[in-house]
């Protein structure tokens, strides 16, 4: 046998043996450390803006004598606890929206908690706490501690308000422009801006702008009119067999959406407005755009950049942007008949319905696979304290669920808190089946938003009557049902 | 048969080896070999006792105790049990192979002893084995690699397609074997069946057209840049390579933006007084399909061009001179000389290109994801089977159904690849030097 063959054989054999031994031996575990280390999974914004560092440093400082320390779990924001947790790779404490957390709760991947055990309990409204309740075998368990509320908001530049708004656009003289109070005036002002657009291509000024293919940002066109995602069983639990997007007068709401789309550009059909809203609000092309409170800093950044380009220093530009950029809730009244073109002055109180937007509650939960339940409770207690929630609000612009922090800050934060308490926020259903609602609704909303542009292009519109809209939304209900149940 | 009879009439050491590995070798005084075989035997018995039997039973039951993290009940993990069971079968097959080699070895030694030969020492026996059976040593690593990274995942996927894994049945719920139910759903349940056949038809058309466009696009570009009249060939060749060098999904996101309502194409259309066009929206089935083919060509033509350039550089120029003298037109020269030569060399590439395009996930996922069209179950009219598979198994957790569709895709692409390759000149004239 040649030397070459012997050498090759030896080499290959060692590769096989080393591979096999490498596979069979998982290594010696590190010796047990007395200090408890908690892995905290926060969202990306909290990491990027430095809030997670602030939280972890403050907690570690406060608990250094108790032998508990927190660290960044250093995982992808939406890493799957169900897949990683059972094998010991998941976080100990997880921060996410109620729909996501409750998906884990259904399979018991997060622990039930006694919410009364937490200091924030007395300050959190019942609605926020309920978002984390789950019914298992007839018993209700709370599986998360609320931190903040998310709902779609309107962002606009104060200097872009019409000069005469107090005389022309404030009929009730309450110091709030009518177009921020009801949708008919928002439609009217948007139409005014479109009609007076003097640019060659009529594309320099728009009023209200939103990517209509997004249910979360445009749920008001359904939920204000009595639609719902999942019905309720007699015991108050959600019934995923009862899909109700076509229920109530949702057809009326979708007609209003169709009307509003006609005053926008084709960007409302897809994600275009979601992507360019920061820039277009900054340059004044859009008067107002819909987004969530956690994107506040992105609007400020774009506006500050504009001011910097105009010659202001970085600090001055940011200060001016913060002063000029405003965030308000969506108008609180929608026309009961879905006709946005009606003059609001001629409408009585019975002609309106209250706007109900889609929202969510973000909160903390504890992984069922943690070995340090009590330490996790300590961490959540600390993270939901008045100081930390206020810090979170200051750094991230969130709307807290703690009433004392909301009251102390006042303004929009307090208003969002009130909206939740008054039931004007339809919380994302906290069951697994909610995953199936997004794509069918996204497809339909985008399709209805396209209708005015079909008409403008001389094509046959699809949704020329309410019957057509009714058929389409009923089909969405069926599609969602099929997606949940066909393959079960 | 003769060997079998030989084994039956064999001596005691051989029969001992049949019962307990290595004992025959020990009786034949081949100590090291005997100990090694015996160690394998004992290891396998210990493995069976510790976990093997349990793993094999678990493979069939897929668990009997449901976990409950709140009550601290760990429960059975059906998917892990399936994997461990699969591994137990692989280990058993490996053991059977070694056992067979042990019996054969004892039998061979027995014959040698009867013939009066002296049995070689272990080191010498190893040397003879390495020398005569070197191919076994050389192929062992690749074969183990293929087994672990190719065969096992495929077998695992096949097994999953026979379970109800997915939907609500995910750990800690227990998974069950359900036979051919998933295939029944794909091929019989009206909504899924209709969607499956619609997507399959489009998928075949897509794979064929995009393979041809990419192949002939690359060949055409290579021929163009091969022409003497083209100045700065290296410079021009760099452009397609640049398109190839950019990561595919970045290119796709770029194209998605370009064709979106807020993208530059619609910007210039509206600037020139036209109405924005929904290139990729819900009404844009055919347009979106054409854009998909073109975008795929943008990404894939450079590879074909580089391949064709390399092959063309090996062409014998005399053939063209002779053809010209015989009066063959340029087209004739292309169809009778260039094309056969290139196709002969690139048939395997064409097959992989077809399979790659058949399973091209990225194009329509990035260009037109997030749409469900009327008449389709959890899919849009541009989705390929692989996209639908993703919608079902990742977005909607229907892993069992997804695996069944994967298996169908696997069968289609395997049959196509094998038939095409076996019928191709590249296979039939493998040893021909062109």
């Amino acid at each position: 046998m040649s030397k070459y063959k012997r050498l090759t054989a030896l080499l290959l054999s060692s590769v096989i043996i080393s591979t096999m031994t490498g596979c069979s031996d998982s290594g010696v575990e590190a010796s047990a450390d007395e200090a408890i280390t908690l892995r905290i999974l926060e969202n990306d914004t909290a990491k990027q803006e430095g809030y997670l560092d602030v939280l972890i440093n403050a907690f570690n400082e406060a608990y250094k004598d108790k032998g508990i320390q927190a660290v960044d779990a250093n995982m992808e924001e939406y890493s799957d606890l169900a897949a990683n947790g059972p094998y010991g790779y998941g976080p100990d404490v997880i921060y996410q929206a109620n729909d996501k957390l409750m998906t884990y709760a259904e399979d018991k991947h997060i622990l039930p908690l006694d919410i009364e055990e937490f200091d924030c309990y007395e300050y959190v409204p019942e609605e926020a706490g309920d978002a984390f309740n789950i019914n298992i075998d007839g018993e209700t368990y709370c599986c998360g501690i609320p931190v903040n509320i998310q709902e779609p908001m309107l962002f606009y530049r104060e200097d872009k308000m019409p000069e005469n708004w107090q005389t022309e656009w404030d009929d009730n003289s309450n110091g709030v422009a009518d177009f921020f109070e009801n949708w008919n005036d928002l439609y009217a002002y948007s139409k005014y801006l479109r009609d007076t657009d003097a640019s060659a291509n009529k594309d320099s000024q728009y009023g209200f702008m939103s990517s209509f293919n997004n249910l979360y940002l445009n749920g008001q066109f359904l939920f204000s009119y009595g639609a719902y995602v999942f019905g309720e069983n007699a015991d108050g639990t959600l019934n995923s067999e009862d899909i109700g997007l076509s229920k109530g007068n949702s057809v009326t709401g979708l007609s209003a959406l169709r009307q509003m789309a006609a005053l926008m550009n084709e960007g409302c059909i897809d994600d275009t407005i979601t992507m360019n809203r920061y820039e277009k609000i900054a340059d004044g092309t859009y008067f107002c755009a819909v987004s969530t409170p956690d994107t506040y800093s992105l609007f400020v950044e774009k506006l500050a950049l504009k001011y910097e380009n105009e010659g202001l220093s970085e600090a001055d530009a940011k200060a001016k942007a913060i002063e000029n950029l405003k965030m308000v809730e969506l108008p609180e009244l929608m026309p009961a008949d879905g006709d946005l073109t009606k003059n609001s002055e001629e409408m009585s109180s019975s002609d309106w319905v209250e706007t109900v937007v889609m929202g969510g509650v973000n909160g903390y939960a504890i992984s069922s696979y943690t070995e340090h339940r009590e330490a996790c409770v300590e961490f959540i207690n600390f993270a939901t304290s008045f100081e930390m929630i206020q810090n979170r609000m200051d750094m991230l612009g969130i709307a807290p669920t703690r009433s004392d922090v909301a009251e102390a800050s006042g303004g929009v934060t307090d208003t969002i808190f009130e909206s939740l308490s008054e039931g004007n926020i339809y919380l994302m259903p906290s069951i697994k089946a909610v995953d199936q609602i997004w794509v069918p609704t996204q497809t339909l909303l985008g399709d209805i938003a396209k209708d005015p542009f079909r008409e403008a292009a001389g094509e046959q519109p699809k949704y020329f009557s309410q019957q057509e809209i009714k058929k389409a939304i009923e089909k969405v209900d069926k599609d969602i049902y099929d997606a949940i149940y066909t393959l079960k | 048969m003769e060997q079998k009879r030989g084994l039956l009439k064999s001596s005691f050491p051989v029969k001992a080896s049949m019962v307990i590995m290595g004992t025959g070798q020990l009786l034949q005084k081949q100590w090291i070999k005997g100990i090694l075989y015996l160690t394998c035997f004992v290891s396998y018995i210990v493995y069976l006792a510790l976990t093997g039997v349990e793993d094999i039973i678990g493979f069939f039951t897929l668990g009997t105790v449901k976990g409950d993290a709140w009550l601290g009940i760990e429960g059975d993990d059906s998917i892990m049990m399936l994997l461990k069971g699969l591994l137990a079968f692989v280990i058993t097959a490996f053991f059977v192979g070694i056992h067979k080699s042990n019996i054969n070895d004892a039998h061979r030694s027995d014959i040698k002893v009867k013939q009066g030969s002296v049995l070689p020492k272990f080191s010498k026996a190893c040397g003879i084995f390495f020398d005569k059976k070197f191919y076994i040593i050389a192929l062992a690593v690749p074969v183990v690699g293929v087994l672990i990274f190719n065969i096992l995942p495929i077998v695992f996927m096949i097994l999953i397609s026979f379970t109800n894994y997915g939907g609500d049945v995910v750990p800690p719920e227990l998974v069950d074997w359900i036979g051919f139910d998933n295939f029944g759903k794909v091929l019989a349940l009206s909504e899924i069946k209709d969607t499956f056949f619609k997507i399959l038809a489009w998928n075949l058309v897509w794979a064929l057209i995009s393979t041809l466009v990419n192949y002939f696009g690359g060949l055409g570009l290579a021929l163009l840049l091969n022409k003497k009249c083209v100045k700065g060939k290296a410079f021009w060749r760099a452009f397609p390579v640049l398109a190839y060098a950019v990561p595919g999904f970045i290119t796709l996101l770029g194209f998605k933006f370009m064709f979106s309502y807020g993208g530059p194409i619609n910007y210039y259309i509206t600037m020139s007084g036209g109405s924005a066009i929904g290139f990729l929206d819900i009404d844009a089935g055919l347009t979106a399909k054409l854009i998909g083919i073109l975008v795929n060509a943008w990404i894939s033509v450079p590879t074909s061009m580089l391949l064709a350039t390399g092959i063309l550089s090996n062409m014998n120029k005399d053939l063209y001179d002779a053809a010209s003298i015989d009066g063959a037109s340029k087209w004739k020269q292309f169809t009778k000389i260039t094309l056969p030569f290139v196709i002969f060399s690139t048939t395997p590439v064409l097959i992989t290109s077809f399979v790659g395009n058949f399973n091209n996930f990225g194009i329509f996922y990035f260009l037109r994801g997030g749409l469900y069209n009327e008449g389709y179950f959890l899919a849009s009219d541009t989705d390929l089977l692989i996209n639908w598979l993703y919608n079902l198994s990742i977005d909607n957790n229907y892993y069992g159904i997804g695996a069944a569709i994967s298996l169908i895709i696997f069968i289609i692409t395997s049959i196509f690849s094998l038939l095409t390759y076996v019928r191709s000149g590249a296979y039939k004239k493998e040893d021909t030097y062109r």
Side-chain angles (χ1 to χ4, degrees):
Chain A
M1 189 167 70
S2 71
K3 278 185 182 175
Y4 170 74
K5 279 185 178 177
R6 280 173 195 272
L7 192 67
T8 315
L10 189 68
L11 197 68
L12 291 172
S13 310
S14 17
V15 170
I16 296 171
I17 291 163
S18 61
T19 311
M20 289 172 81
T21 50
C23 288
S24 63
D25 187 6
S26 57
V28 181
E29 280 192 326
S31 60
D33 190 345
E34 280 185 11
I36 291 172
T37 301
L38 301 178
R39 290 165 298 176
I40 313 299
L41 181 61
E42 266 281 0
N43 68 350
D44 287 347
T45 316
K47 279 188 187 182
Q48 283 156 15
E49 300 294 323
Y51 173 73
L52 180 59
D53 289 338
V54 170
L55 171 63
I56 284 176
N57 291 340
F59 177 79
N60 290 346
E61 180 61 28
Y63 281 79
K64 64 182 176 190
D65 298 333
K66 294 185 180 175
I68 307 174
Q69 63 166 352
V71 294
D72 178 4
N74 213 12
M75 290 173 185
E76 197 272 322
E77 182 177 9
Y78 297 109
S79 64
D80 190 355
L81 179 68
N84 301 324
Y87 307 104
Y89 299 113
D92 295 293
V93 175
I94 183 167
Y95 168 90
Q96 257 167 17
N98 64 299
D99 60 324
K100 189 75 187 165
L101 284 182
M102 298 316 283
T103 301
Y104 293 144
E106 273 186 61
D107 290 328
K108 299 185 175 178
H109 295 300
I110 55 174
L111 289 173
L113 303 167
D114 178 6
I115 192 168
E116 293 179 28
E117 189 183 353
F118 293 83
D119 298 341
C120 63
Y121 169 65
E122 58 184 300
Y123 302 104
V124 171
E126 202 181 334
E127 293 80 1
D130 287 350
F132 295 100
N133 282 352
I134 188 167
N135 190 291
I136 294 177
D137 301 330
E139 290 289 324
T140 301
Y141 300 93
C142 172
C143 291
I145 304 300
V147 171
N148 60 287
I149 312 155
Q150 287 274 53
E151 68 158 323
M153 306 285 288
L154 274 184
F155 291 78
Y156 70 99
R157 276 172 56 177
E158 193 168 33
D159 63 343
K160 285 288 172 184
M161 290 284 281
E163 283 176 14
N164 59 351
W165 75 266
Q166 282 158 318
T167 53
E168 295 296 318
W169 295 96
D170 187 14
D171 292 341
N172 53 9
S173 304
N174 64 349
V176 179
D178 298 332
F179 43 73
F180 291 143
E181 291 187 314
N182 72 74
W183 284 82
N184 282 46
D185 279 310
L186 185 57
Y187 177 89
Y189 185 58
S190 299
K191 189 168 187 314
Y192 165 78
L193 287 173
R194 297 301 299 130
D195 291 344
T196 55
D197 186 345
S199 64
N201 292 309
K202 279 185 75 72
D203 59 357
S204 67
Q205 57 180 45
Y206 293 90
F208 170 85
M209 294 297 271
S210 176
S211 279
F212 273 153
N213 66 345
N214 185 321
L215 174 66
Y216 187 79
L217 295 181
N218 302 288
Q220 61 277 6
F221 291 103
L222 292 166
F223 305 120
S224 308
Y225 294 91
Y228 53 86
V229 178
F230 299 122
E232 287 187 2
N233 295 312
D235 60 0
T237 56
L238 289 173
N239 174 9
S240 57
E241 288 185 41
D242 177 14
I243 297 152
L245 292 172
S246 63
K247 301 289 164 59
N249 292 320
S250 60
V251 171
T252 310
L254 292 173
S255 305
L257 180 144
R258 191 181 182 280
Q259 280 182 337
M260 197 54 121
L263 296 181
M264 301 187 199
N265 56 33
E266 289 89 342
C268 69
I269 301 167
D270 60 15
D271 291 333
T272 300
I273 294 171
T274 298
M275 288 190 288
N276 70 16
R277 59 194 169 187
Y278 314 107
E279 188 187 316
K280 297 287 182 184
I281 287 288
D283 71 15
T285 309
Y286 300 167
F287 171 66
C288 60
V290 182
S291 192
T292 46
D294 56 355
T295 58
Y296 174 82
S297 56
L298 296 171
F299 282 99
V300 169
E301 268 174 36
K302 282 286 176 193
L303 190 53
L305 190 66
K306 173 188 149 62
Y307 293 143
E308 272 186 66
N309 291 338
E310 287 171 1
L312 285 185
S313 69
E314 192 180 332
D316 288 347
K318 187 164 185 187
K320 189 175 173 185
I322 289 171
E323 194 187 332
N324 197 16
L325 187 83
K326 300 294 173 194
M327 175 174 81
V328 292
E329 284 196 305
L330 297 182
E332 64 181 321
L333 297 174
M334 298 191 87
D337 62 359
D339 187 358
L340 295 172
T341 60
K342 276 187 182 167
N343 186 344
S344 65
E345 287 177 51
E346 295 165 7
M347 294 167 75
S348 65
S349 58
S350 61
D351 292 330
W352 299 104
V353 291
E354 281 195 17
T355 301
V356 178
V357 298
M358 192 169 202
V361 178
N362 288 23
Y364 285 112
I366 299 174
S367 163
S368 296
Y369 310 101
T370 183
E371 292 172 0
H372 315 293
R373 184 191 180 279
E374 294 308 317
C376 292
V377 170
E378 290 286 336
F379 178 84
I380 295 179
N381 232 338
F382 184 85
T384 52
S385 63
F386 182 92
E387 291 76 18
M388 290 319 299
I389 295 292
Q390 191 162 43
N391 260 343
R392 188 176 193 112
M393 189 185 72
D394 293 342
M395 292 181 73
L396 307 178
I398 54 112
T401 49
R402 273 188 79 119
S403 58
D404 50 350
V405 181
E407 273 169 36
S409 63
V412 178
T413 303
D414 199 26
T415 318
I416 297 173
F417 183 86
E418 276 175 27
S419 291
L420 178 68
S421 307
E422 288 166 11
N424 290 335
I425 299 178
Y426 182 91
L427 292 177
M428 283 186 292
S430 296
I431 54 174
K432 231 192 264 183
V434 76
D435 286 348
Q436 307 293 352
I437 71 172
W438 305 111
V439 180
T441 49
Q442 173 179 325
T443 306
L444 175 71
L445 294 180
D447 202 25
I448 293 177
K450 188 175 179 185
D451 225 29
F453 302 99
R454 289 191 185 101
E455 229 168 348
E459 295 170 24
Q460 176 70 28
K462 270 191 188 175
Y463 304 103
F464 48 85
S465 71
Q466 292 208 340
Q467 280 79 7
E468 301 306 312
I469 298 178
K470 181 78 179 165
K471 266 191 263 173
I473 189 71
E474 281 174 350
K475 188 177 172 301
V476 166
D477 280 354
K478 185 182 175 302
D479 286 347
I480 295 171
Y481 181 90
D482 287 346
I484 299 170
Y485 291 103
T486 303
L487 294 173
K488 269 198 171 179
Chain B
M1 201 63 187
E2 200 174 308
Q3 192 187 11
K4 198 176 173 184
R5 273 200 297 273
L7 284 171
L8 288 171
K9 289 179 185 172
S10 58
S11 63
F12 178 68
V14 180
K15 284 175 181 162
S17 262
M18 285 181 198
V19 181
I20 299 172
M21 272 168 69
T23 46
Q25 283 80 359
L26 290 175
L27 289 168
Q28 288 161 345
K29 296 181 182 170
Q30 292 185 285
W31 305 114
I32 299 178
K33 204 188 276 183
I35 288 167
L36 284 175
Y37 275 126
L38 192 60
T39 308
C40 282
F41 185 78
V42 172
S43 302
Y44 181 69
I45 298 297
V46 170
Y47 163 74
L48 283 182
L50 290 179
T51 173
V53 173
E54 200 183 322
D55 289 350
I56 290 170
I57 294 169
F59 178 86
F60 293 104
T61 64
L62 294 181
T64 50
V65 181
K66 189 185 155 191
D68 190 324
W70 290 4
L71 300 176
I73 301 170
E74 201 174 322
D76 292 328
D77 184 338
S78 302
I79 299 306
M80 277 312 282
M81 291 176 88
L82 196 152
L83 269 172
K84 285 163 106 177
L86 185 59
L87 190 66
F89 285 121
V90 171
I91 290 171
T92 303
F94 189 61
F95 172 78
V96 169
I98 294 177
H99 196 31
K100 191 168 173 285
S101 84
N102 143 71
I103 297 168
N104 289 341
D105 179 74
H107 183 59
R108 276 195 303 270
S109 299
D110 191 42
I111 292 169
K112 280 183 184 172
V113 170
K114 281 175 182 167
Q115 286 170 348
S117 306
V118 179
L119 293 177
K121 285 186 176 176
F122 182 71
S123 56
K124 197 175 177 190
C126 285
I128 295 167
F129 178 78
F130 286 153
D131 198 32
K132 290 189 175 170
K133 301 282 176 71
F134 180 72
Y135 64 93
I136 293 179
I137 305 293
L139 288 175
V141 170
V143 166
V144 169
V146 167
L147 187 72
I148 294 173
F149 297 111
N150 288 52
I151 309 292
L152 278 184
I154 291 171
V155 174
F156 179 66
M157 178 202 76
I158 292 170
L159 292 172
I160 288 287
S161 69
F162 294 101
T163 68
N164 61 351
Y165 182 36
D168 284 342
V169 188
V170 288
E173 294 293 330
L174 296 173
V175 176
D176 278 325
W177 295 108
I178 55 165
F180 287 90
D181 281 11
N182 287 326
F183 296 91
K185 280 177 185 168
V186 173
L187 300 172
L189 207 62
S190 63
E191 286 147 316
I192 303 177
K193 180 189 70 182
D194 292 350
T195 304
F196 174 76
F197 285 112
K198 271 189 232 176
I199 296 181
L200 177 64
W202 155 235
N203 207 151
L204 287 167
V205 171
W206 152 267
L208 192 68
I209 293 178
S210 50
T211 303
L212 293 177
V213 167
N214 297 349
Y215 187 77
F216 287 105
L219 181 60
L221 211 55
L223 286 169
L224 183 70
L225 295 176
N226 235 17
K227 281 201 162 295
K228 283 179 186 167
C229 58
V230 176
K231 299 271 189 291
K233 286 175 185 169
F235 177 76
W236 294 116
R237 277 188 189 124
F239 281 100
V241 176
L242 276 179
Y244 177 60
V246 176
F249 82 97
I250 299 284
T251 307
L252 290 169
L253 289 175
F255 274 106
K256 183 182 182 179
F257 172 67
M258 277 174 65
F259 286 106
S260 71
Y261 280 111
I265 296 176
N266 269 320
Y267 173 77
Y268 285 111
I269 290 174
T270 49
M271 282 291 279
S272 56
S275 298
I277 297 170
F279 291 106
L280 300 169
D281 72 10
I282 192 164
D283 296 339
L286 185 62
T287 322
K289 285 173 182 173
L290 288 173
I291 290 172
I293 288 169
L294 293 175
V295 170
N296 189 37
W298 174 269
I299 294 170
S300 307
V301 160
T303 322
S304 309
M305 184 201 77
L306 290 176
L307 185 74
T309 305
I311 291 164
L312 290 174
S313 66
N314 288 327
M315 289 284 297
N316 186 350
K317 301 282 187 293
D318 296 343
L319 290 172
Y320 292 99
D321 293 340
S324 296
I325 292 165
D326 287 347
S329 65
K330 290 284 180 194
W331 176 248
K332 215 63 175 171
Q333 288 178 28
F334 173 73
T335 55
K336 297 292 179 188
I337 302 174
T338 312
L339 202 56
F341 181 77
V342 176
I343 286 184
F344 177 83
S345 310
T346 56
T347 304
V349 178
L350 259 176
I351 293 168
T352 52
S353 172
F354 179 87
V355 174
N357 283 318
F358 192 90
N359 289 326
N360 196 329
F361 171 76
I363 295 287
F364 292 108
Y365 176 77
F366 286 109
L367 286 181
R368 204 163 173 254
L371 276 183
Y372 291 164
N373 277 89
E374 199 168 339
Y376 288 80
F377 180 76
L378 302 179
S380 79
D381 53 359
T382 46
D383 277 347
L384 304 177
L385 283 173
I386 192 85
N387 300 112
W388 191 40
L389 178 66
Y390 182 87
N391 291 348
L392 290 170
S393 55
I394 304 296
D395 283 353
N396 298 287
N397 287 349
Y398 292 124
Y399 303 116
I401 292 277
I405 295 171
S406 297
L407 192 55
I408 294 170
I409 293 176
F410 175 71
I411 292 167
I412 293 170
T413 51
S414 304
I415 291 174
F416 172 83
S417 307
L418 282 173
L419 284 181
T420 314
Y421 185 61
V422 168
R423 293 161 67 93
S424 71
Y427 175 79
K428 287 177 182 166
K429 301 169 189 173
E430 197 178 4
D431 298 327
T432 307
Y433 177 74
R434 301 283 294 244

